[in-house]
Every structure is written in structure tokens, then in C-alpha cells.
Amino acid sequence: MAYKRADYALAPSARTILDRYDAMPKIQKLPPEIANKIAAGEVIERPASVVKELVENAIDAGATRITIDLEDAGKQLIRVSDNGSGMECDDLVLACAEHATSKLNAVDDLFYIDTMGFRGEALPSIASISHVRIVSRTTDNPEAWEITNHGGEQSEPKPASGAPGTVIEVANLFYNTPVRRKFLRQNSTELGRVIETIENIALAYPAIGFTLNNDHNAIFELPQKQARRERIVSFGGAKLSDALIEVNDFDEYASLTGFVGSPGQHRPNSKDLRLFVNRRFIRDRSLLQAVMLAYREFIPHGRYPVAYLFLELDPSEVDVNVHPTKIEVRFTQASRLFGKIKAAVQEAVLRSGQLPRLDLNDRRLEQVKALAGASQQEIHASLQQFRAPLPEARPGSSAEPDLELATPGYDRTEHAPRLLDDEQLASARLLRDKVSPRAPLPPYAESSLQASTPSANLFENARGYFQIGNAYIVVETTDGMVLIDQHAYHERILYWQLEHRLSSQPPEIQKLLVPEPLELTRAASAMLGEHRELFRQFGFELEPFGSGGWACYGVPKYIRTTKVNEFVKSSLDELAASGRAKNPAELRKSMVDMMACKAAIKAGDPLKGADIESLIKEGAKVPHTFACPHGRPTTYKLTFTDIEKIFHRR
Amino acid sequence: MKIKVQRKVFSEVMSIVAGVVNPRHTNPLVQNVLLDASKSGLLIKATDLEVSLQYQLNDASVSKAGKVLLPAARLNGLLKDMSAETVELIADDESVVVSAERGKITLQTADVEGFPGFPEFKQDNALSIKASDFAKGLGWTGKSISPERGRYAFNGVLITTGKNGIEFCGTDGRRLSYMKVAGKAKTYDFPIIIPRRGIELFTRMAERAPDSDISLDIRENEVVARAGNAIASTALIDGQFPDYWTVIPRNNDKTYVARRADLISSLRLAGHVTSVESQSVAMEISKQEITFKTRSPGMGSAEVKLPVTYAGPDCRVGFDPRYLLDGLALMTADDVTCEFKDNETGVIFHEGSKDKAFFLVMPLDVG
Ligand SMILES: Nc1ncnc2c1ncn2[C@@H]1O[C@H](COP(=O)(O)OP(=O)(O)OP(=O)(O)O)[C@@H](O)[C@H]1O
Ligand SMILES: [Mg+2]
């Protein structure tokens, strides 16, 4: 019976109705031994809780269209109408009885819950604090039956007219519990909660049509038989559509499907990070954490990704009977799920290789502009900084600059800005004179990039590139252009290379002629004792020196640093700040982080054509270059469509 | 001011001046060169406040004395582009007319007021050696220093007095070069550390007057040098230079001799298969043969063999081939001697006499 829900998900809704219709057992009072095992508690706190229970009942009844009408945001009236199985008169009478459900038969069923409801508690608790009216008709019954229940006082059933299905009205919520009524918020807040509740159900059941009205105004109307993606876009907006990455991961334990946002999509809170287990919206810190971790390198710290993830597992693997509102569940193999989600999401994001794109219809464009202004200052600042100590350039010299990656292509000693010598000045003058001022300048250096890197990369269609503001690179591509932040981009490359190279081979260690004593505090020295091996893994050969001190005997070759002291110190600071809580793998990661940042090309570093080309080439080897290790974007894409929009050609 | 000068010499001096002046200096005044014409000829002065140059051009005919400040880079470029034998400079209150043959260029002058003062060369000679030797010492050792214009000992060349000679030493902590040349010195002034800018300027000055003696006048944090018609000065680095005699390995018990050209070509060849991940060349020494090996994951490997005179035990040392190539390129002899011990100890290369000059390369440990 594994994948029962999954079957539903794939099957047309008609099948669901049939299943339900034929198999729906009659409502029975639960025997005390079962009733006592059910997580008890008040579930009705506000209109949204009522809506949740009623809509879930409608879904359990196999409805394909559900309409929710509110008055006064539900404070006056909540009406949920469905086209589900309906109830026979005998059942209707029991619907509001305590511990009466058609969904559980034996204690063991509690460990195999494949319906939204199972407690037989929702309707009685709603009825005890409001005026309930239920009109219900089964398909093969010519007429409907109606009951009312006011605070537990139930009327005799009487015939009524109505279409097949059920209409439940809940009026005067909390009429007999004034304190709870007082706790209700203003209408907009309560309505917001209702909307969120319905959203979370509607996302899980894209085939079911939902209509929500408040005070006779339509809030939304979702058509039936939507695909999941359409449903997500219905809520998230059309802009999200392009930015959704599909996740598909099946194994014998669980199936994980759904969509996650591309790295360009991130939010200030976790609202758009939603997890569903067997089509039930749940909150689970650990699984959310798995998603967050998967995105760690792609979006800025403190921001949240967009994710709509649907887990389907055998109901026996999930315990829903933990919390009365069923918002929390327990898994038999929580850590397995954690790993699964993290890996699947990460893989999907990497595979998509989506570049963040400028959203031209968006206020963010303004922000981008503002940002551009800010970084202009930054550029200026770093330019100033850069100018101060100019490394003297001697072509062919192997002299080592202060701190930089020893990538042959980026040998900064070769392209450090230097005063033009006289010959260069002369030839520049010659050139200037030849090119008449009106003649268009060649727009960019023609690229000789190979278009056929085995791993399909973003730049396989690069046609040309140039640097602007000594900080950014513009790449012309077949479908528009890509803007690269040279520092963030290089940092991402280094980050990957470091991880890659350190795992594939031990680092080369350059022995020092004179050991460099480290100026460390006592605490830092002690800390170093603990983490010496970690430093060794990164190519720092540190040995005890003098009494209680340390000295550096060798430095990593792949990163050129003459400021060993500074580097080790700031690493230790970092470790002290986070070290105790981190496991070795994470420590390593933060070291990699730091090294990549320190060694990357800075904003303000002028790059020659060859440097840019090798940067892009190196980038092509890295599987995911669209965000730096801190999650800031490294690249922005502007398609011709976007450009046409800018110039109102569209 | 009104003078006539030989364009070629003037131009040569101005190209040294252009190396002194920093056209982006925060003080715009020092982007200029000072031309001071008097009975004794034309005195050319420039500085970037770290280094300074005063050059006396004797074969200038001064018909009217005077001082002007002209943009150094512009004047230098101008002289380069002229072809005449002589140029004439005539100044009025605001500008100077530079004319030669067909060309006549008027340059605005800056106010001489506020142009910094220049150090005087005093007669008490701290050191006196042949200018060509001086240039050789700086050239040999300047290659090994750390590249930035910093204030640390590794950013400059150390000059000191040794047993019957003047010693030059430069290191960046990973390699070291040493040279000793003949000369006289007053020991109490030494050692001094000359920064990169100073090395360059002193070298160019010495190269202009190779046969003359160079003499130094060492002050608190500055050194003034005189050679031929030039007086140059540089700030000194006030850093702790490593005591190189204690760090240079004394008991490198193994040696081989190889042809310099062969060494260079072998290293170049093996260097083709180095990458960021693996920059090292492993030097494997066995009987009568060394093998240079490189290996880069995902790229390939190289193995280059070279016959040498060696009879000792097998040994293997790794290092950065560029360090070696830098050193070998500065040597002149046909044969090079290599002294080594193990993979922990620095390897020494010299051209026969270690006393005169050598360079040392620290090993690169592969994990
Ligand atoms: N819209 C509906 N259509 C058909 N039957 C319904 C509908 N709503 C409720 N029922 C019937 O009434 C019973 C009681 O509903 P109630 O919501 O109180 O309990 P439950 O859904 O079984 O469990 P839970 O308390 O967990 O929701 C259900 O078991 C179901 O048989
Ligand atoms: Mg229910």
C-alpha cells in the first residue's frame, strides 16, 4: 500500500471520488481505547482553524471543487461547500458527535493514516462554540438532509434541498466563549490567515478547484485540474514561473517532488518555504534546515529560499498523531529524509544552473540601480586603496605579490597597472592618431573561447567580453548578455577549486627560509594547538615555537600570502567565533570560505583580455558559479527580451 | 631661462627621471621635473618623496640662467619623439618653449615655490665601489625580494660589509640570493636595506656611469648615492633582516654539476605540466642523472632526464621551477653547481665559487 497518496496524486480525481464513495465507511463512535490515544487539544482558535478542518473534511470526502464563503472574515459566517461524497442521514446525525469518525476503524489504523482527518473531533469542537448548519446529500440520494447544532445542541435531521455534496455553515464563532472571541484580530489579519490556510491545502491538491469569497467579494478562484506548477504560480505570481526548478527524487522510502526557486529568488522570511508530507502542510524545523543548507551557497545569509516540496511516504512511516492540528509530524527515519531533501534540492539547483535575472517589472530594478551606485563608491574606495602600494611590474618575474592565488592566468604581477613606458606611450599616441575620433571603437575583445566544454556551461555561447569599472565583466552571449561581478565570481571559482583540490590531493607547502613566529594571544595559541591539523590540511605548517608560542614553517603554495600572521590570526578568530559549534567538515568549509575570499581578484583590479578569458574558462569548470560562497549573486543575465523591454520595443 | 642641450643625453636622463616621478602622486607638484640652468650647466631634479634624482648635464649651453618646473612625463615623451640633435628651451613667466628643427612646443610651467628640497651629498664616503659592481649586486639580489613597495625587510636588498667586500642579499622568505663584490666601506653605517624603488633607481644610475666609482652617504633613514653626474637618494627600510648566515644551510653534503643551459631547458620542459594545484618540480637525483618530474591531476605529467656528475645517494627535492629559472637566468657561466641535502633543506646553486654569489631555494613539500 505504499504510495497510496502518490497514487492519488497521479490519478484523475474521478478515481478518488469512486474510491471514497464505494469505500467510505459509515461514521462510528470511536471506542475509548482509540479515542484515548488521539492527541487531544483545542484545535479551533480562529476562523482559519475552522476553515482548515472543514476544507480537509471536504477533501476526505473526495470533493473536486470547494467553495469557501466568509462574512466578516469568518467571524460572522464560514460556509464551506463541496461536491464530495456527502453523508447519508444516519451519518449526518453522528457527524458532530464526539470521537465519531468514518476514517478510523481499529487502533492500528492510527499508524496508517491516509486521510486528512481521523480524530472525529473537528466538527464537535466547532459545534460546541458556534452555530453549525450542515446540509448534505449523497449522489444516489434524490434529496439532501439538514441538521443544525448550536453549542452542542443538535436538531433532528430534516429533509432539505441541495446538490450532491456537503455544505457546512459555521456562524457566530465563539458566541459562547467571549474571551476567545476577544482574541480575534482585525478582519484583514484573520482573512490573511484563512488565505494562507487555504493556500497550503490548495498547493497540495492542485486538481481541486477552490473559491474563496469574503463578504461576497471574490478573493481567489482556482480552477480545477491545475498542474502543480500552475498552482504554485497562481499564488506566487507569474514572475516565479521562470524561476522554478523542478525537484524529482524517488526511492523506495519516499518520493520527493515539487519546485524550488532559482537562487535569484529569495525572501526575507520562510513563508515561501513550504513542506508537505503526504499532502499535508507541515512545519518541521529539521527538514526546513535541510532546504536552507542546500541553498547555503546560493543565496545571501539571512534570506530564505523559495521551495514547495511534497514528500510522499508510506503512511506507516509518518506519525501524524502528534499534535491536534496535525501541523507537526514525526518520521520513522528523520535523518534519512533530511539527507534526501538536502541532496535532492542541491542537485536540482546545480543542475538547473539558472542565472539570476534582472526582473524588469520589479521594484528590485530600482534596488539594483541603488546598489550599483553604492558599489561605485566601493569601487572608488578600492581603487584608491589599490593605487597606494603599486606592486612594481616586471614581465616574466616570478616575484610574489602579497596575497593572491597563484593561478598562472592571473599572475597579477604581470598586469598590475604600471606607468606606461615611453615606447608604449609612443605607440598609444600612434594608435590614437590613426583612429579618427569619430570612428567607432572596437566594442570588445573578440573571444577565442572554446564553445565546447564538456560540462555544458553558461558561457559556451560567449561571443565576446570586456571589463567595466575595473570591477565587472560584460559577456556577450547568443541570447543577450551576462554581467559578472569579478570578485564574487572569482571567489566562487576559488572556493570550488579549493574544495576540489584539497579533496583530491594534499596542498603543496612552500617551506620558509626563516620560520615566522606568530603573534598570538594565549587563547589563540591554545586554540591553534587544537586545530593544527586543520591548518596543515590547508598547507600551513605550524610548529610550537619558544615557550607556548607558535611559528609558521611552511605556507600553502596555491595561495600566496606574505601575511601569514594576519591570515592565521583571522582564521583563529573565525574558529573561535564558530568553532566550538562546528564539526570538522564545517570548519574546513569556513576555512575554504575565508581563503577564497582573501585570494580572489578584488573589485578595482584591472584585468586584461587574457585574464578575463581565463576567468571565464575557469568558471566554466565550476558547476555552479551563479552565487558566491556567501550567496551574493556573481552573475546577472539580461536577455534580448529584457533589453527590448528596457527600450519599450515590447 | 634660455638653454641649448644635446637632445639624446637629455632624453636619456629624462627617461630615468620618468622612472622617479609618479604621475599619479597625490602632490601634483612632484609630478614635475625641475630644470635649473646656471653657469655650471643644467641641473635636472625629480622626486616622488621616496626616491630622488639630481642629474647634472654639463654639455648644456646656458645663455640665460633660471629655474622652471615642467611636467616630467610630458617632457620625456616629447624628447623621445624629437629627432633633432639639439633642443632649445626658452622660458618666460608662464611657459617654456621647447623647440628643435621644425617643432616648437609650448608647455605651461608650474610654480617652483613649494617644490621639495633635495638631499646634499656629503663627502664622508660610507662606501665606495665600482658602479658596475654595484649594479650587478643589486641586479642579482633584487630579483629575490618580495614584490610590493612595502616597508619590510623582505621588500628590499640588504647591503652590508663582509670579510673583504661588500655583501648584497635579497630574500622573500622562500628563496635568497647573495653576492659579494670588492669595495671599501666604513662598517659602522651598515647594514642598510634599500627598497625596490631605490634598487631600480640606483641600478639605472650606476648603469649610466659603469666605470665610475659609486659612493654612498648613509643617513638616519635615507641613503644618498653619487655616481658620475648623478646624485640619487632613497628612503631606507627599517626592518629586521633575517640573519642569513644562520639560515643558509652549512652542511649540504651532496653536490652535482650540470650545464646551465641544460638545466634551464629541462626545467622549462618539465614546467609545461605544472598547474595551480601542482606547481612543483621534483628533482630526483640518482647516480649520474637527475630527473625533473612534474605531475598535474587532470593534465598530465612530465619526466625530463639530465646527465650530471654525481655519485652520492639518491635524493629527491621539490621546488618551484620559476625560482630556479630566475636565478639561472642571471648567471653567466656554462656550468652550475648544485648543493643539496634533503627535502627539508634549502638547495644552493652557484657558478663555482659560493663565496662570491649563490642563490638558495627553499623546498616545496608535496603534502
Ligand atoms: N464535507 C464532508 N463530506 C462528507 N463527510 C463529512 C464531511 N465533513 C465531515 N464528514 C464526516 O463527519 C465525520 C466527522 O468529521 P470530523 O471532522 O469531526 O472528524 P474527522 O474528519 O473524522 O477527524 P478530525 O477530527 O481529525 O478532522 C468525518 O469522519 C466524516 O465522515
Ligand atoms: Mg475532519
Side-chain angles (χ1 to χ4, degrees), chain A residues 512 515-521 528 535 540 542 550-552 555 561-573 598:
Chain A
L512 295 181
E516 184 169 338
L518 300 173
E519 293 137 24
L520 299 175
T521 62
L528 185 52
F535 281 92
F540 287 96
L542 307 174
W550 291 86
C552 182
V555 292
T561 172
T562 49
K563 291 182 180 157
V564 179
N565 252 302
E566 217 170 274
F567 187 85
V568 174
K569 251 189 263 178
S570 57
S571 307
L572 286 172
D573 282 351
K598 297 215 164 170

Side-chain angles (χ1 to χ4, degrees), chain A residues 392 398 400-401 406-408 419 422 429 501 505-514 555 557 560-561, chain B residues 76 80-81 147 173-175 196 200 276-280 297 320 322-323 326 344 360 362-365 367:
Chain A
E392 230 33 39
S398 64
E400 291 182 332
T407 308
L419 317 183
D422 314 310
R429 264 194 305 275
R501 85 171 50 131
Q505 76 183 111
E508 292 181 325
I509 300 177
Q510 172 69 60
K511 304 265 183 198
L512 295 181
L513 184 65
V514 192
V555 292
K557 187 68 179 177
R560 295 173 164 179
T561 172
Chain B
N76 179 38
K80 282 252 151 72
D81 277 358
R174 291 143 170 82
R175 54 173 163 177
R196 176 173 292 275
E200 280 163 5
V276 191
E277 286 90 348
S278 26
Q279 301 177 41
S280 64
D320 186 334
R322 290 169 303 175
Y323 291 171
D326 276 353
E344 298 286 314
L360 165 90
M362 288 305 286
L364 189 51
D365 193 357

Side-chain angles (χ1 to χ4, degrees), chain A residues 296-487:
Chain A
R296 205 184 92 137
E297 292 169 20
F298 308 132
I299 61 172
H301 286 314
R303 302 284 296 183
Y304 295 82
V306 173
Y308 301 92
L309 293 172
F310 301 86
L311 270 170
E312 306 277 352
L313 353 68
D314 191 285
S316 62
E317 300 283 349
V318 198
D319 185 359
V320 194
N321 185 21
V322 177
H323 191 270
T325 64
K326 303 153 188 154
I327 188 111
E328 280 172 29
V329 296
R330 242 182 247 134
F331 301 99
T332 51
Q333 305 186 46
S335 60
R336 183 167 172 187
L337 276 184
F338 182 95
K340 183 185 171 76
I341 290 183
K342 187 179 159 213
V345 171
Q346 202 157 28
E347 215 239 68
V349 176
L350 294 186
R351 196 167 13 84
S352 81
Q354 278 208 39
L355 289 178
R357 277 180 56 182
L358 273 185
D359 188 343
L360 294 167
N361 307 317
D362 197 305
R363 257 181 309 141
R364 267 179 304 162
L365 191 57
E366 297 305 314
Q367 292 168 5
V368 170
K369 282 183 197 152
L371 252 175
S375 46
Q376 199 56 44
Q377 283 171 1
E378 270 176 40
I379 297 164
H380 192 72
S382 43
L383 268 177
Q384 290 303 100
Q385 212 179 25
F386 186 78
R387 276 183 187 143
L390 279 188
E392 230 33 39
R394 275 285 168 97
S397 149
S398 64
E400 291 182 332
D402 158 36
L403 177 72
E404 71 176 32
L405 192 91
T407 308
Y410 311 135
D411 195 348
R412 228 166 295 158
T413 53
E414 270 185 19
H415 58 74
R418 55 196 182 104
L419 317 183
L420 293 180
D421 65 34
D422 314 310
E423 265 167 49
Q424 284 170 315
L425 271 175
S427 60
R429 264 194 305 275
L430 256 173
L431 200 75
R432 191 189 54 211
D433 295 340
K434 268 187 201 147
V435 181
S436 89
R438 296 271 163 115
L441 287 167
Y444 47 73
E446 276 301 333
S447 148
S448 56
L449 276 182
Q450 301 277 301
S452 56
T453 340
S455 64
N457 66 72
L458 296 165
F459 295 101
E460 53 185 15
N461 296 325
R463 291 161 145 204
Y465 46 76
F466 57 94
Q467 187 191 34
I468 55 173
N470 280 349
Y472 306 101
I473 295 162
V474 179
V475 183
E476 183 194 356
T477 58
T478 42
D479 59 344
M481 59 175 269
V482 172
L483 193 58
I484 297 178
D485 177 320
Q486 66 187 37
H487 171 71

Side-chain angles (χ1 to χ4, degrees), chain B residues 4 26 53 62 66 89-90 112 177 212 214 220 233 270 283 297-298:
Chain B
K4 253 199 186 123
T26 44
L53 175 71
V62 179
L89 283 82
I90 304 168
V112 182
S177 355
S212 61
I214 198 161
E220 180 69 25
S233 77
M283 178 171 80

